[in-house]
Structures are given as structure tokens and as C-alpha cells.
Amino acid sequence: MEADETRQPFNTEAYAAAALAQGKTLDTVQSELSKRLQQTQRTLFSLINQRYEDFLGLSTSLTGIDTTIDELRAPLTTVKHEIHEVSNELQTKLEYMDSRLAYRAQLREKKQVLRLFLDLEQLLNRVGVVLKEAEAAKDLEHVTCLERAAVDVSQIRYFARKGSEYPYVVAAQQRIQHIEESLLTALEQSLRPALEKFLEQCTTQNDMDPQARQTAGTEETVHLIAQTLRAYSTVEETERAEDIMRTALVRPTVSHVLGTQSGRGMGLEPEKFASMLRSVLQFAKSTCVPLVKSIESHLAGSNGSTGDKLAVRVVWRELSSCIMEHLPLVFVPGMPERFHKNYREACVFVSEFSHMFSLGNDSLMVDPVYVEFSRKWQLSAYFSIQKKHVIAVLEDFERGKPLDAARGSESNGTRPSTPAPKLQVEQDVLQIKHREGLLTEHAARAVWAIQQCWTSNVYLEALAAKFWQLTMQILLWYQQTASQCVQQLIQSNASKSSVQALESHELDELLHHMHDMFAMREVAMEQTRAICRVVPGTDNGTCGISAGLESAVGQALAPLDDTSNKAADHISSTITAPSTTTLASHLRRTTSQFRHTNRPPPSTPSPYISSLFAYLESTESKITHDQATSERIKHMLRSRVATRVSQEFARVCADALATISKTEASLLRLRKSRGSNVRVDVGDVVVPSGADLRGKVPEADNDKIRRQIWLDVDQVARIVRGYGVETDPEFARFVDLIQPFGI
């Protein structure tokens, strides 16, 4: 066990940490280390004794090792030198092989350059010969030679780009340029006459159908044009060919049609503009469509301008460019009515053009010339004019100005700048008032303004979003204007006496505004549905756009609810003021009728009860509009009047009954001794404890008064129920409270 411990390595730090943890002193540690040293020495001596021969062999086994090392050093050195010599030789051979390979690559590259020079020279010589052959050939043979030359020129351009840094190619650039110019000139001289010939053939045979026109000689011309375009495409000069086609084929006829109009389109009549566009479309249909279709069939599968590209980049670009060049002022909305019609004619022109050439959805829309043509129309200026006119009609009326201020005038004073003159606006507003059943000028003009935005001679599809924003502004204007008018009428009527307020025109105007605020919601919603039928993509219940527009209109008119409530509150307050202020005097008269008069007990309500709602009935007689709106207004007034009258009547009756009870309590206290107390709580004040007149004939004066009050309260409740509304909650509780006074 001790031998095993001595074979383990001794860790000083671990031993010190263990001794410290065990709390050993230095003397103890020294004693333990001494014992361990002695043990280790004994183990070493024992090991040497056991293997003494091995111990002696440690020194004898190394005898002669130096001699062996000296004997091996010389051969190893020789091998080392030989390896270095072989390595150097191989490195030299590798460097030599690399140099030879590099030289070979240079030769190959120079050979390729030389081949390029030879091919380029051969092509230059061959294309020159082909061009000379083309000069001697005619018609299709001539174009065939030019097409061969175009193929060679395309290869020449490739070789020229590839060897552009070599002096030989640089020197040949002038020659190459001359050949390219000669080819392009020859192609133009072939394409332009062919186009002119085709145009002449179509013009002279305009009355013939397309089949007969082709059999009359146009097929050969179309084939010639198609081959020429193929040659242009081969040398990547399609834009040059398209420009030639625009100037030679399209421009002459279109310029002749559009150039007859003087004034550069200023004040151009829509009928004249439409006639011009129809003439242009007729030319495109009779001349351009057959040519494009024929070329498309000849160039099927080529990289040239075929199909949609040819129709857009040649025909459309020249048509629209000529319109913008010859009629630049037709895009200016100086006369909005004519601008509107001319723009719609232009939209029809674009649609028919796309249909004529069977263009895809994006073929025309992404064309930069189409984008420029669309932007040329000053739609924002047109909308600003219409908006200014609509707003001026509304605001000038609000300020009490005549509509002449909204008409504007031109510098020559001969034509208006807005579509609707004063007399027409007045007539339209009057018709709207009668048709929609409106009573206020504000509502009628708001409806006129909305309809003006979406009428067929004002609305443009491209401005749908802006006209909708204007519609929302008009609704906001009406909402704010109605609120201001109602507030002013309330303030004006509040300063008058109760009788004057009932007979004032302010009260009638408030009723009119209430009617129109309700009617305006229906009219606005109906107009919104009409708008959805006008704007494409919105008249679809599944898309939710229509519901969204109606929701926006509802939110815009939502503040009218508060305005209607304010008007109804004021009217109901005005109606109830004369009746409620005399309730106390009526109750005093009722008390005096039965006190000390020996009158028989009452059996019918007081006569004044029927007059409590007389002003409401007289006010309702003024509400003679459409039944639905009238009933809604009447219900609002009845509800408020019933609440006010019943609340005040309950309060006055409670005070009267309380006074009667207090009087009885005072008399009772006088009759009794001074030491007794008669306590009357709140309930007992109105209805004394034990009081119950049901099924009895009241004999006492106070009981007769209580019965009369019950009859009056019951009659008020009956009248209110007859109106189909609810009384004030306090009144209902009061009715339950005084039930003991009933029959």
C-alpha cells in the first residue's frame, strides 16, 4: 500500500490545501513530510535491489553509440545532397515546360487574332460584293441581298467589338462605318418606297375588302416590307425602321387629317374632334391593321417589332404624337364642357385602337408615349375648375352673394369658364327641392353640388377619387352649415317671449332643417348607390366597396344627429314653456274650487288638461311633408314634450298634495294637546298614512282636491300613451304613488 502511494505524483498545492482545511500545524506537516521522504527512499532502494541487473544495464547499453552515429552520418549526408540535386533539376524542367506552354498559348491567341483578322477581312470584302449585287437587283431580290449583307454586318460588328484594341481593327473602323451606312441607306431606300407604295395601293383601293386588296398586289409589297424589317432587326436597328414607318406610312395621312384645324386645338368643338379621331381610326383600320397583321405572319418567331410592338411603337406613337403636335391646346380645359367631351372622345379613341389591334392590357399602358399622352390632358386643372364652381355656388349663397360671382368670365367676355350659369343653377336647385321634397336651400344646393360632380357631362372616370373627395367635402359643408343655421335660429328664437317663439318663422325654419337633415341621409345614400353604378368596380356587393362608401357617408352625416336633437330640444322646450308655466296657477284654482265651496266630488279631468298639448298639436299641423320623415319628427317632439310636461306636472301636483297634507297636519296639531307630536315623513306629505279613496266618494274638501288631481294626472298619462311615447320616469312613479286617490 505504501509502495502504491509513493508511485503516485506528489501535488504540493493539494497537500497544503488539505492540511490547511484539516487545521494541521507546521510541526505536524513537517513530521508527515519527513515520514513520506523516508518511505520513498526505502521504496527506491527496494526497487534497485529487485532489478539490479537492469539498473546496471542503463550504462552498458549505451556503449558504442557514438561510433554508430559517425558511421551513418556520411551516407545520410550524401543522400541529402543527391535529393537536392534531383529537386533542382526537376524545378528547372518545370520552369522550362511552363515557359513553353505560355509561348504556345501566345501562339494560339495570336492565331485566333489572325483568324479574326482574316474573317473580318473576308466579311468586309464579301459584304461589299453583296451590296454591289443589291444595287443591281430589284424588289425582292434586292431586299434578299440586303438581308444577306445585314447578316454579314452583324458578324462584322461582333468581330469589331471583340478585337477593338488591335490596330488592324481600329484602322478598319472607317471602312466598317462606311459599310454600315451604305447598308442602312440601302435599307431605307428599299423600305420607304415600299411603304409609300403600300399606302398608295390602300388609298386607291380603299373601297375594296382586305382579301381583294391583297390580291391586287399588296401581298408582294408586304413581303418586301417584312424582309426589310427582318434585315433591320438583324443589325439591331429596329428603332430606325420604326421611325421610317412612322414618317412614311402614318404621318402623312394623320397630319393631313389633323392639320386642317386652325388654332392648334383651342376651343375645338367635340364633334369636330370626334370626326378627326374617327378619320384617323378609319385610316388605321384600312391601312395599318392589314399591314401589321401581314408583317406579323411573315416575321413570326423573329426578334423584330411584331404584333403588339409594331402597333404600339409605330402606329400609336405617331398617332398620339401628331395629336399632341397639331392640337396641343385641346388638352387645356379652358372651356370645361368641350374639354370634358374631347377627353371622353380621346378615351373612346384609345379603347377602339386597342381593340382594333387586339392589344394586351399592358401593351399600350406601359408605352412612354401613351403615358405622355395621358399626362398631357390637364385633368387636375379641369377638376379645379369644376370644384371651384361648385364650392363658389355653395359659399356665395351662404354669404348671400349672387351666383354671377361663381360664373367667372373670359378675357373676351364671350364664353363662361364654368359649365353652369346662374339661371341654370337656380332652375336645377328648384327642381331638386321639388323632386327630393327638400325645404331648405342649403340641403337642395348640397344635393345639386353632389349631383353636379357625378353628372355625365362633368364626371370623368380618371377623376373618380377626386370627385369622391369633393362629395365628402360637400357633405361636411352641409353638416357644418346646418349646424350653424340651427344654432343661430335657436339663439334668435330664445330671445323672444314664449308666445312669440311659438309663432316665429325661426320655429318653422327649425322644423324645415330637421326635415332636411333626415331627408339628406336618404338622399345621400341613394346618391352614393348611384355613384357606385357610375364608377367601375364599385357596383359589386362582394367587393365591399359600395358598403364602404355608404359607411363613409354615414360617418360624415353622423353629427347631424346631435344637431337634430338640439333643434328638437329647443322646439319641445318652446312648445312646453307656455303650458308648464301656468300649471301652478291651475293647481291653485283647482284647490280653491273645492275648498269651502261644498261642490260635489269631481268625476272628470280639469278642462285645462286638454290645453297642455295644444301647442304640440298646432306645431305638428305644420309638419305636412313626406309621411316617414314627418312621423319621425313628430315622434321626437312628442317624446320630448311628453317628458317635459309630465315631469313638470308631477312636480307641481306633488307640491300641491304636499301643501294639502301639511295643512291637515297643522290643523291636527292645533286640535291636540301641546305635548303630542304629529310626525309626517316625505311619503306621508304627498299621500298621508292610511289614505285610500279607491271605491269611495270623497266628502272632505281635501279628498275632493286629491281626487281631482288624480283625475288630471290619469288624463295626462292617457294623452301621452295616445301619442305612442313614454312619460318621464318620475311621473310614472308619481302615478303609482297617488293610486290611493283614484276611483
Side-chain angles (χ1 to χ4, degrees):
M1 183 67 181
E2 294 179 355
D4 293 337
E5 292 180 356
T6 56
R7 291 192 183 98
Q8 299 296 328
F10 182 74
N11 191 328
T12 307
E13 295 180 356
Y15 178 80
L20 182 61
Q22 296 174 4
K24 296 179 180 180
T25 62
L26 292 178
D27 294 337
T28 304
V29 171
Q30 182 180 6
S31 175
E32 289 181 356
L33 290 177
S34 298
K35 292 179 180 180
R36 187 176 182 85
L37 178 59
Q38 294 174 4
Q39 182 180 355
T40 302
Q41 289 176 349
R42 286 194 300 269
T43 302
L44 179 60
F45 293 153
S46 176
L47 182 62
I48 291 174
N49 292 331
Q50 292 176 1
R51 303 181 62 180
Y52 185 73
E53 294 181 359
D54 294 335
F55 177 73
L56 294 176
L58 289 177
S59 59
T60 58
S61 61
L62 296 178
T63 304
I65 191 64
D66 294 337
T67 304
T68 303
I69 292 174
D70 292 337
E71 291 176 354
L72 293 174
R73 180 178 288 112
L76 291 175
T77 303
T78 302
V79 172
K80 179 180 178 181
H81 287 304
E82 291 176 355
I83 291 174
H84 279 294
E85 290 176 358
V86 172
S87 176
N88 293 334
E89 183 179 357
L90 291 175
Q91 184 65 31
T92 302
K93 290 181 178 181
L94 288 174
E95 292 176 355
Y96 175 75
M97 290 180 65
D98 290 340
S99 64
R100 298 303 295 174
L101 290 174
Y103 177 71
R104 184 177 180 180
Q106 292 177 359
L107 290 178
R108 187 182 295 109
E109 182 179 355
K110 290 180 179 180
K111 182 179 179 180
Q112 292 176 352
V113 173
L114 181 60
R115 173 58 61 184
L116 184 148
F117 293 162
L118 293 175
D119 291 343
L120 181 59
E121 182 65 23
Q122 182 180 0
L123 288 171
L124 291 174
N125 294 332
R126 187 171 67 188
V127 74
V129 174
V130 174
L131 288 176
K132 289 181 180 180
E133 292 177 0
E135 292 177 359
K138 294 182 179 180
D139 297 335
L140 290 177
E141 185 179 355
H142 172 74
V143 176
T144 302
C145 293
L146 294 180
E147 195 170 1
R148 288 166 48 200
V151 175
D152 292 341
V153 169
S154 178
Q155 294 180 359
I156 289 172
R157 288 180 172 177
Y158 169 74
F159 289 138
R161 288 194 298 269
K162 189 174 181 181
S164 59
E165 72 275 10
Y166 298 108
Y168 173 80
V169 178
V170 174
Q173 284 295 332
Q174 186 174 0
R175 184 182 175 187
I176 295 172
Q177 184 177 1
H178 175 71
I179 291 175
E180 290 178 349
E181 292 176 354
S182 300
L183 175 62
L184 294 176
T185 301
L187 289 173
E188 181 177 355
Q189 291 175 353
S190 175
L191 179 60
R192 191 177 294 276
L195 293 171
E196 294 173 353
K197 181 180 179 181
F198 179 81
L199 180 60
E200 182 180 357
Q201 291 172 346
C202 293
T203 303
T204 56
Q205 302 171 9
N206 193 33
D207 296 333
M208 301 176 64
D209 56 36
Q211 180 86 22
R213 192 177 307 151
Q214 289 187 0
T215 58
T218 57
E219 178 63 28
E220 182 179 352
T221 306
V222 170
H223 185 59
L224 181 65
I225 295 172
Q227 278 193 288
T228 307
L229 292 177
R230 186 184 293 112
Y232 271 109
S233 177
T234 302
V235 294
E236 299 178 353
E237 293 289 348
T238 54
E239 292 185 1
R240 185 189 293 263
E242 292 165 357
D243 183 65
I244 295 173
M245 293 185 69
R246 287 193 292 268
T247 57
L249 178 67
V250 184
R251 182 173 297 177
T253 303
V254 178
S255 298
H256 174 73
V257 173
L258 301 178
T260 57
Q261 175 64 29
S262 60
R264 299 173 62 80
M266 178 180 293
L268 180 61
E269 296 181 359
E271 295 77 10
K272 179 66 175 177
F273 186 59
S275 177
M276 291 181 176
L277 296 182
R278 284 194 297 269
S279 299
V280 171
L281 285 175
Q282 181 60 34
F283 159 73
K285 181 179 180 180
S286 62
T287 303
C288 300
V289 172
L291 179 62
V292 170
K293 298 298 182 183
S294 300
I295 292 176
E296 184 178 7
S297 63
H298 282 85
L299 299 182
S302 66
N303 295 325
S305 298
T306 58
D308 292 359
K309 290 184 179 180
L310 199 59
V312 173
R313 298 173 63 173
V314 174
V315 184
W316 165 255
R317 288 187 180 182
E318 190 59 33
L319 293 181
S320 56
S321 297
C322 287
I323 294 174
M324 291 185 287
E325 177 183 352
H326 292 283
L327 305 173
L329 298 181
V330 77
F331 302 95
V332 180
M335 302 179 70
E337 286 184 356
R338 294 187 178 184
F339 175 87
H340 176 271
K341 294 180 180 179
N342 288 335
Y343 177 78
R344 299 195 65 159
E345 290 293 341
C347 293
V348 173
F349 167 74
V350 173
S351 177
E352 292 185 0
F353 180 88
S354 299
H355 179 73
M356 185 182 300
F357 287 94
S358 302
L359 298 178
N361 295 332
D362 298 332
S363 299
L364 190 60
M365 303 303 175
V366 299
D367 182 67
V369 178
Y370 173 81
V371 175
E372 181 184 1
F373 180 79
S374 300
R375 291 177 178 174
K376 201 78 173 177
W377 292 95
Q378 299 182 17
L379 296 177
S380 296
Y382 168 78
F383 175 76
S384 298
I385 293 175
Q386 297 293 353
K387 179 180 179 180
K388 181 179 179 181
H389 171 67
V390 169
I391 293 179
V393 170
L394 299 177
E395 292 183 347
D396 289 344
F397 165 75
E398 188 178 359
R399 292 193 294 265
K401 295 182 180 180
L403 286 177
D404 293 314
R407 294 178 59 189
S409 60
E410 298 295 328
S411 58
N412 55 12
T414 59
R415 55 188 175 90
S417 61
T418 53
K422 172 184 177 182
L423 182 59
Q424 185 63 43
V425 171
E426 295 292 349
Q427 293 176 351
D428 293 344
V429 171
L430 186 60
Q431 291 178 359
I432 290 173
K433 290 182 68 175
H434 290 300
R435 184 175 67 250
E436 304 295 344
L438 301 175
L439 304 177
T440 62
E441 195 76 9
H442 296 87
R445 289 183 179 272
V447 175
W448 171 87
I450 295 175
Q451 293 180 354
Q452 181 72 10
C453 294
W454 301 97
T455 186
S456 59
N457 59 351
V458 173
Y459 167 73
L460 291 175
E461 183 178 337
L463 297 173
K466 291 189 176 182
F467 275 117
W468 176 252
Q469 292 177 355
L470 181 57
T471 299
M472 299 304 294
Q473 292 177 3
I474 294 170
L475 293 177
L476 180 62
W477 171 85
Y478 172 74
Q479 178 262 317
Q480 294 176 346
T481 303
S483 178
Q484 293 174 359
C485 290
V486 168
Q487 187 65 30
Q488 292 173 359
L489 290 171
I490 291 175
Q491 293 177 354
S492 176
N493 204 40
S495 62
K496 299 180 180 181
S497 64
S498 58
V499 178
Q500 291 177 341
L502 283 170
E503 300 175 353
S504 65
H505 75 280
E506 286 87 351
L507 190 66
D508 297 338
E509 288 295 324
L510 285 173
L511 291 173
H512 293 169
H513 277 289
M514 285 186 65
H515 172 273
D516 284 359
M517 282 187 285
F518 291 128
M520 191 64 180
R521 293 179 176 86
E522 301 298 329
V523 175
M525 289 300 178
E526 180 59 33
Q527 187 62 41
T528 302
R529 289 187 283 270
I531 291 171
C532 292
R533 292 190 291 269
V534 172
V535 179
T538 57
D539 190 17
N540 185 0
T542 60
C543 66
I545 298 178
S546 177
L549 297 181
E550 293 183 9
S551 176
V553 171
Q555 292 179 2
L557 297 178
L560 290 179
D561 293 335
D562 293 337
T563 305
S564 300
N565 290 331
K566 290 180 181 179
D569 290 341
H570 175 76
I571 295 174
S572 61
S573 176
T574 304
I575 292 173
T576 57
S579 302
T580 55
T581 53
T582 59
L583 284 177
S585 62
H586 284 304
L587 265 296
R588 287 193 297 270
R589 193 175 298 113
T590 298
T591 302
S592 62
Q593 287 177 355
F594 293 98
R595 195 178 298 280
H596 308 299
T597 59
N598 201 26
R599 296 187 60 161
S603 60
T604 58
S606 300
Y608 75 90
I609 296 299
S610 60
S611 65
L612 292 178
F613 299 93
Y615 293 115
L616 173 62
E617 295 175 356
S618 64
T619 302
E620 288 183 351
S621 64
K622 301 178 182 180
I623 307 174
T624 58
H625 320 304
D626 59 284
Q627 184 176 0
T629 305
S630 298
E631 289 300 324
R632 187 173 182 180
I633 296 174
K634 289 179 181 179
H635 182 78
M636 291 182 66
L637 296 180
R638 289 171 179 175
S639 177
R640 286 167 169 76
V641 169
T643 299
R644 291 175 181 271
V645 170
S646 61
Q647 184 181 33
E648 183 64 18
F649 191 64
R651 186 188 65 80
V652 174
C653 290
D655 291 344
L657 292 174
T659 301
I660 294 173
S661 298
K662 291 178 180 179
T663 302
E664 287 181 339
S666 298
L667 293 176
L668 184 61
R669 283 195 296 269
L670 289 174
R671 293 173 185 174
K672 292 187 176 183
S673 62
R674 293 179 178 272
S676 63
N677 279 330
V678 179
R679 184 174 176 273
V680 182
D681 57 17
V682 176
D684 292 336
V685 168
V686 179
V687 180
S689 299
D692 191 352
L693 302 178
R694 287 172 288 191
K696 302 177 182 179
V697 177
E699 298 179 357
D701 294 344
N702 289 337
D703 290 342
K704 294 178 181 179
I705 296 173
R706 291 187 177 102
R707 174 62 61 82
Q708 183 65 61
I709 291 177
W710 179 87
L711 290 171
D712 294 344
V713 170
D714 182 68
Q715 182 63 18
V716 170
R718 293 175 183 272
I719 294 174
V720 172
R721 286 195 298 271
Y723 284 137
V725 295
E726 298 293 334
T727 59
D728 182 70
E730 292 294 332
F731 180 83
R733 287 192 288 270
F734 180 73
V735 171
D736 294 337
L737 180 64
I738 66 172
Q739 284 301 319
F741 300 152
I743 297 175

PDB file of all heavy atoms in Angstrom, residues 436-449:
ATOM      1  N   GLU A 436     -86.928  65.972 -54.505  1.00  0.00           N
ATOM      2  CA  GLU A 436     -86.498  65.293 -53.286  1.00  0.00           C
ATOM      3  C   GLU A 436     -87.325  65.682 -52.065  1.00  0.00           C
ATOM      4  O   GLU A 436     -87.120  65.123 -50.984  1.00  0.00           O
ATOM      5  CB  GLU A 436     -85.014  65.596 -53.010  1.00  0.00           C
ATOM      6  CG  GLU A 436     -84.074  65.234 -54.151  1.00  0.00           C
ATOM      7  CD  GLU A 436     -84.024  63.746 -54.417  1.00  0.00           C
ATOM      8  OE1 GLU A 436     -84.465  62.965 -53.550  1.00  0.00           O
ATOM      9  OE2 GLU A 436     -83.553  63.362 -55.504  1.00  0.00           O
ATOM     10  N   GLY A 437     -88.241  66.661 -52.227  1.00  0.00           N
ATOM     11  CA  GLY A 437     -89.055  67.074 -51.097  1.00  0.00           C
ATOM     12  C   GLY A 437     -88.278  67.837 -50.046  1.00  0.00           C
ATOM     13  O   GLY A 437     -88.609  67.763 -48.858  1.00  0.00           O
ATOM     14  N   LEU A 438     -87.251  68.588 -50.441  1.00  0.00           N
ATOM     15  CA  LEU A 438     -86.433  69.348 -49.501  1.00  0.00           C
ATOM     16  C   LEU A 438     -87.056  70.712 -49.246  1.00  0.00           C
ATOM     17  O   LEU A 438     -87.742  71.277 -50.109  1.00  0.00           O
ATOM     18  CB  LEU A 438     -85.011  69.499 -50.046  1.00  0.00           C
ATOM     19  CG  LEU A 438     -84.265  68.178 -50.309  1.00  0.00           C
ATOM     20  CD1 LEU A 438     -82.921  68.442 -50.954  1.00  0.00           C
ATOM     21  CD2 LEU A 438     -84.085  67.398 -49.021  1.00  0.00           C
ATOM     22  N   LEU A 439     -86.798  71.270 -48.068  1.00  0.00           N
ATOM     23  CA  LEU A 439     -87.422  72.524 -47.654  1.00  0.00           C
ATOM     24  C   LEU A 439     -86.428  73.666 -47.493  1.00  0.00           C
ATOM     25  O   LEU A 439     -86.841  74.830 -47.480  1.00  0.00           O
ATOM     26  CB  LEU A 439     -88.171  72.314 -46.327  1.00  0.00           C
ATOM     27  CG  LEU A 439     -89.232  71.197 -46.339  1.00  0.00           C
ATOM     28  CD1 LEU A 439     -89.830  71.040 -44.953  1.00  0.00           C
ATOM     29  CD2 LEU A 439     -90.319  71.491 -47.362  1.00  0.00           C
ATOM     30  N   THR A 440     -85.148  73.363 -47.332  1.00  0.00           N
ATOM     31  CA  THR A 440     -84.142  74.411 -47.137  1.00  0.00           C
ATOM     32  C   THR A 440     -83.246  74.515 -48.361  1.00  0.00           C
ATOM     33  O   THR A 440     -82.990  73.519 -49.053  1.00  0.00           O
ATOM     34  CB  THR A 440     -83.274  74.120 -45.900  1.00  0.00           C
ATOM     35  OG1 THR A 440     -82.572  72.890 -46.102  1.00  0.00           O
ATOM     36  CG2 THR A 440     -84.131  74.017 -44.648  1.00  0.00           C
ATOM     37  N   GLU A 441     -82.781  75.716 -48.601  1.00  0.00           N
ATOM     38  CA  GLU A 441     -81.907  75.960 -49.746  1.00  0.00           C
ATOM     39  C   GLU A 441     -80.556  75.276 -49.565  1.00  0.00           C
ATOM     40  O   GLU A 441     -79.943  74.820 -50.534  1.00  0.00           O
ATOM     41  CB  GLU A 441     -81.707  77.470 -49.924  1.00  0.00           C
ATOM     42  CG  GLU A 441     -81.116  77.874 -51.257  1.00  0.00           C
ATOM     43  CD  GLU A 441     -82.124  77.812 -52.388  1.00  0.00           C
ATOM     44  OE1 GLU A 441     -83.327  77.623 -52.092  1.00  0.00           O
ATOM     45  OE2 GLU A 441     -81.717  77.938 -53.549  1.00  0.00           O
ATOM     46  N   HIS A 442     -80.090  75.192 -48.322  1.00  0.00           N
ATOM     47  CA  HIS A 442     -78.791  74.562 -48.071  1.00  0.00           C
ATOM     48  C   HIS A 442     -78.797  73.101 -48.511  1.00  0.00           C
ATOM     49  O   HIS A 442     -77.870  72.641 -49.192  1.00  0.00           O
ATOM     50  CB  HIS A 442     -78.443  74.644 -46.579  1.00  0.00           C
ATOM     51  CG  HIS A 442     -78.253  76.038 -46.084  1.00  0.00           C
ATOM     52  ND1 HIS A 442     -79.295  76.810 -45.631  1.00  0.00           N
ATOM     53  CD2 HIS A 442     -77.136  76.805 -45.983  1.00  0.00           C
ATOM     54  CE1 HIS A 442     -78.840  77.994 -45.258  1.00  0.00           C
ATOM     55  NE2 HIS A 442     -77.531  78.022 -45.459  1.00  0.00           N
ATOM     56  N   ALA A 443     -79.814  72.362 -48.122  1.00  0.00           N
ATOM     57  CA  ALA A 443     -79.873  70.947 -48.481  1.00  0.00           C
ATOM     58  C   ALA A 443     -80.014  70.772 -49.985  1.00  0.00           C
ATOM     59  O   ALA A 443     -79.357  69.910 -50.588  1.00  0.00           O
ATOM     60  CB  ALA A 443     -81.038  70.276 -47.758  1.00  0.00           C
ATOM     61  N   ALA A 444     -80.859  71.600 -50.613  1.00  0.00           N
ATOM     62  CA  ALA A 444     -81.045  71.483 -52.059  1.00  0.00           C
ATOM     63  C   ALA A 444     -79.760  71.773 -52.811  1.00  0.00           C
ATOM     64  O   ALA A 444     -79.417  71.090 -53.782  1.00  0.00           O
ATOM     65  CB  ALA A 444     -82.157  72.429 -52.515  1.00  0.00           C
ATOM     66  N   ARG A 445     -79.025  72.769 -52.365  1.00  0.00           N
ATOM     67  CA  ARG A 445     -77.774  73.103 -53.054  1.00  0.00           C
ATOM     68  C   ARG A 445     -76.699  72.049 -52.791  1.00  0.00           C
ATOM     69  O   ARG A 445     -75.853  71.791 -53.658  1.00  0.00           O
ATOM     70  CB  ARG A 445     -77.289  74.486 -52.624  1.00  0.00           C
ATOM     71  CG  ARG A 445     -78.164  75.598 -53.176  1.00  0.00           C
ATOM     72  CD  ARG A 445     -77.681  76.990 -52.829  1.00  0.00           C
ATOM     73  NE  ARG A 445     -78.573  77.978 -53.418  1.00  0.00           N
ATOM     74  CZ  ARG A 445     -78.455  78.477 -54.647  1.00  0.00           C
ATOM     75  NH1 ARG A 445     -77.443  78.081 -55.400  1.00  0.00           N
ATOM     76  NH2 ARG A 445     -79.309  79.353 -55.112  1.00  0.00           N
ATOM     77  N   ALA A 446     -76.720  71.448 -51.616  1.00  0.00           N
ATOM     78  CA  ALA A 446     -75.761  70.370 -51.358  1.00  0.00           C
ATOM     79  C   ALA A 446     -76.038  69.189 -52.276  1.00  0.00           C
ATOM     80  O   ALA A 446     -75.110  68.588 -52.847  1.00  0.00           O
ATOM     81  CB  ALA A 446     -75.834  69.939 -49.890  1.00  0.00           C
ATOM     82  N   VAL A 447     -77.320  68.845 -52.441  1.00  0.00           N
ATOM     83  CA  VAL A 447     -77.666  67.749 -53.353  1.00  0.00           C
ATOM     84  C   VAL A 447     -77.299  68.122 -54.781  1.00  0.00           C
ATOM     85  O   VAL A 447     -76.775  67.295 -55.543  1.00  0.00           O
ATOM     86  CB  VAL A 447     -79.167  67.413 -53.238  1.00  0.00           C
ATOM     87  CG1 VAL A 447     -79.567  66.371 -54.274  1.00  0.00           C
ATOM     88  CG2 VAL A 447     -79.484  66.912 -51.845  1.00  0.00           C
ATOM     89  N   TRP A 448     -77.570  69.370 -55.166  1.00  0.00           N
ATOM     90  CA  TRP A 448     -77.185  69.813 -56.519  1.00  0.00           C
ATOM     91  C   TRP A 448     -75.682  69.679 -56.717  1.00  0.00           C
ATOM     92  O   TRP A 448     -75.219  69.230 -57.779  1.00  0.00           O
ATOM     93  CB  TRP A 448     -77.602  71.264 -56.738  1.00  0.00           C
ATOM     94  CG  TRP A 448     -77.047  71.837 -58.010  1.00  0.00           C
ATOM     95  CD1 TRP A 448     -77.587  71.768 -59.256  1.00  0.00           C
ATOM     96  CD2 TRP A 448     -75.807  72.539 -58.164  1.00  0.00           C
ATOM     97  NE1 TRP A 448     -76.776  72.369 -60.173  1.00  0.00           N
ATOM     98  CE2 TRP A 448     -75.660  72.859 -59.540  1.00  0.00           C
ATOM     99  CE3 TRP A 448     -74.805  72.921 -57.295  1.00  0.00           C
ATOM    100  CZ2 TRP A 448     -74.561  73.547 -60.032  1.00  0.00           C
ATOM    101  CZ3 TRP A 448     -73.707  73.603 -57.789  1.00  0.00           C
ATOM    102  CH2 TRP A 448     -73.594  73.914 -59.142  1.00  0.00           C
ATOM    103  N   ALA A 449     -74.905  70.085 -55.706  1.00  0.00           N
ATOM    104  CA  ALA A 449     -73.448  70.034 -55.831  1.00  0.00           C
ATOM    105  C   ALA A 449     -72.961  68.601 -55.983  1.00  0.00           C
ATOM    106  O   ALA A 449     -72.062  68.314 -56.790  1.00  0.00           O
ATOM    107  CB  ALA A 449     -72.801  70.695 -54.612  1.00  0.00           C
TER     108      ALA A 449
END
